[in-house]
Amino acid sequence: MTVSGVPSPGWRERMVQAAIPVLGAAMWVQCIQHILWPVAGLRYAAMGLLGGYLVLALPQIGRGTRWIVLACLGVTGLCLASGSPVSAALSGLDTALVFMGFFPAIAMIRWALERGGTLSRIEARYRDLPPQARGDSLLVVGHVIGAVVTMGAFAIVMPPADQMGELRLRTQAALVALRGVSLAVLWTPFTVGMGFAAHGFPQVPLWQAILCGMGLALIGLALSMGRGAFSGLRRIAPGLGAVAVPVLGASAVLAAVNLLSAMPAMDTIILTAPLAVLAFALIAHRAALPGLQPVLRASLNGLGNEMALFSASVAMGMALTSNPAFRAALDGLGLARLPAGMTFALLVLAAGGGGGLGRHSSVIAAVMLALTAGLGTTFGMLTCFMLVLFGWFCGAMLSMSSLSVAIVNRMFRVPVGPLVLGANLRFAIGLGAVLTAIFAMLNGIGIA
């Protein structure tokens, strides 16, 4: 309906909603094209599409995200004014574009892993457990499910409304759920954190990153697990295995393709995942294939918040890395001249401190990339990779700007303060101390 020939707001909104996934799909296709046949002019055009996408998706961007983006843009502006080349900021946008290929690929993998009702069966078995057994197994259930659907795991592990209990019990459950899901960031290739680190260190084989991250996550689970943690797990173990086996299998396939093709890990996921999912659907779930279209449309339509964060934070990280004043300040700190174990401990503290201070995971990871850029001779690339992942984990579990914290705060009806400054902060410090001790030991024998 129009008034005096002017389209009504409802019509304009529908046009915008139709344009957003189209722009997203165009950037996805260009991302694949850029991997197979890079053309500089098309890449710059894609950066223009990204700008248009963010403008149209502005209503999706929350107020907290806008403040983070403005802060990142402010730092980037200062860096450019003090010597960082414009090419550094453009390199950040180039990196952000990679995620327009990564997010749809991950959405397809999750769609494939959710076929067959495995997650719903686990949820039913989990809900049937007695409250104590359910609480004991919450950590591991959250971790395994979180490796597939990340924040969607909270809906499965959340206690039923009539069994939420007093605030103390809700807080304990919320902390454990947040811890279990966040630990999955350290190893599963189906998270944005892994994609971020993989793009920052493309020379690190995916299998090494997965195995090292899995080892650290298992240490974290062991540190967190109570004596009765296995009482409920026995009853839902078959269901957990039905998720863990395909997740590990898909991870192994991606790692093998990455190893054999010598492609960067992100490129491997972007190219391999859609083909594998389509083959899986045609063989085993042909009838469900039409259901993939709305999943992809929703993924491409709802990336405004994430892409704004990535574009701003990665551009900031690239500008910092190339800034002469920042490099001089780092050199003045003498991190490269300190014993490797001490430098590593300081970086772990920086990662945890960034989470405790409310910095978003993408910002912490971008800063960690900048901090480790000049330490290539002190640390190996795999070590730097794990430091970036640890920073992402700290942001996901501790930061007030974390979507995971916001979801747990809302679903478990728990104040934010205890979530970010309580037991999980102590847990992050303890896990960081263990990680530092492992690094010091490996470095002492010449491995790390």
Side-chain angles (χ1 to χ4, degrees):
M1 183 176 181
T2 61
V3 178
S4 301
V6 178
S8 66
W11 185 86
R12 286 196 296 269
E13 290 173 2
R14 289 195 296 272
M15 289 292 291
V16 168
Q17 289 303 313
I20 290 175
V22 171
L23 289 178
M27 286 185 282
W28 182 17
V29 171
Q30 198 282 323
C31 188
I32 295 173
Q33 169 263 312
H34 186 72
I35 294 171
L36 298 174
W37 181 45
V39 178
L42 291 176
R43 198 59 166 176
Y44 288 124
M47 291 180 189
L49 290 180
L50 176 59
Y53 182 94
L54 293 177
V55 170
L56 294 179
L58 191 61
Q60 298 176 7
I61 303 174
R63 181 180 299 177
T65 299
R66 294 182 190 186
W67 283 113
I68 296 171
V69 168
L70 287 174
C72 290
L73 292 178
V75 173
T76 303
L78 289 174
C79 289
L80 294 175
S82 59
S84 295
V86 175
S87 60
L90 292 177
S91 179
L93 293 179
D94 179 81
T95 298
L97 279 171
V98 174
F99 287 92
M100 288 305 302
F102 180 77
F103 281 119
I106 295 304
M108 292 182 72
I109 289 176
R110 289 173 182 162
W111 175 85
L113 292 173
E114 288 171 352
R115 293 308 93 196
T118 300
L119 293 181
S120 60
R121 287 196 296 272
I122 291 179
E123 181 174 12
R125 293 185 184 187
Y126 180 74
R127 300 292 190 196
D128 288 340
L129 293 174
Q132 180 58 44
R134 190 188 308 124
D136 289 338
S137 59
L138 189 153
L139 177 80
V140 179
V141 174
H143 184 76
V144 173
I145 304 301
V148 185
V149 294
T150 55
M151 289 171 290
F154 295 122
I156 294 177
V157 301
M158 186 183 72
D162 60 346
Q163 297 178 15
M164 288 287 276
E166 59 183 276
L167 178 61
R168 179 182 62 84
L169 297 176
R170 294 202 310 273
T171 301
Q172 183 180 7
L175 287 168
V176 172
L178 188 57
R179 192 180 307 165
V181 174
S182 298
L183 281 169
V185 172
L186 294 171
W187 69 269
T188 176
F190 311 130
T191 63
V192 182
M194 179 65 82
F196 194 102
H199 189 75
F201 299 99
Q203 59 275 75
V204 175
L206 192 57
W207 69 268
Q208 290 185 7
I210 291 173
L211 289 180
C212 287
M214 191 178 294
L216 183 58
L218 289 174
I219 291 172
L221 292 173
L223 290 174
S224 181
M225 205 172 288
R227 291 182 180 179
F230 295 99
S231 60
L233 289 176
R234 285 194 298 269
R235 292 179 56 178
I236 57 175
L240 285 177
V243 174
V245 170
V247 169
L248 292 174
S251 302
V253 169
L254 289 174
V257 173
N258 171 242
L259 180 64
L260 295 173
S261 68
M263 284 192 301
M266 282 283 278
D267 293 356
T268 302
I269 295 172
I270 291 169
L271 293 179
T272 305
L275 295 175
V277 170
L278 288 175
F280 163 80
L282 289 172
I283 294 171
H285 292 279
R286 187 186 297 267
L289 193 56
L292 183 57
Q293 181 178 352
V295 170
L296 286 174
R297 183 179 178 85
S299 173
L300 294 168
N301 190 55
L303 295 176
N305 208 69
E306 288 80 2
M307 291 307 299
L309 276 171
F310 281 119
S311 301
S313 61
V314 178
M316 179 193 71
M318 296 291 187
L320 278 173
T321 301
S322 61
N323 186 263
F326 181 77
R327 302 304 328 160
L330 281 183
D331 292 340
L333 292 175
L335 291 178
R337 296 188 295 274
L338 292 174
M342 186 178 297
T343 303
F344 189 92
L346 289 173
L347 291 173
V348 167
L349 282 175
L357 291 172
R359 303 286 78 83
H360 191 271
S361 289
S362 63
V363 176
I364 297 173
V367 172
M368 294 299 289
L369 278 173
L371 290 174
T372 56
L375 297 172
T377 57
T378 304
F379 302 139
M381 291 295 103
L382 179 59
T383 300
C384 294
F385 191 111
M386 293 310 301
L387 280 168
V388 171
L389 268 187
F390 183 77
W392 195 284
F393 157 77
C394 288
M397 188 176 70
L398 300 175
S399 175
M400 287 186 289
S401 62
S402 165
L403 185 57
S404 297
V405 171
I407 289 174
V408 170
N409 160 249
R410 184 170 62 250
M411 295 181 71
F412 286 78
R413 303 201 303 271
V414 174
V416 172
L419 292 178
V420 300
L421 297 175
N424 277 357
L425 178 58
R426 295 191 295 272
F427 172 77
I429 293 172
L431 186 59
V434 172
L435 180 59
T436 302
I438 292 173
F439 169 80
M441 180 184 68
L442 295 176
N443 184 259
I445 59 178
I447 296 179

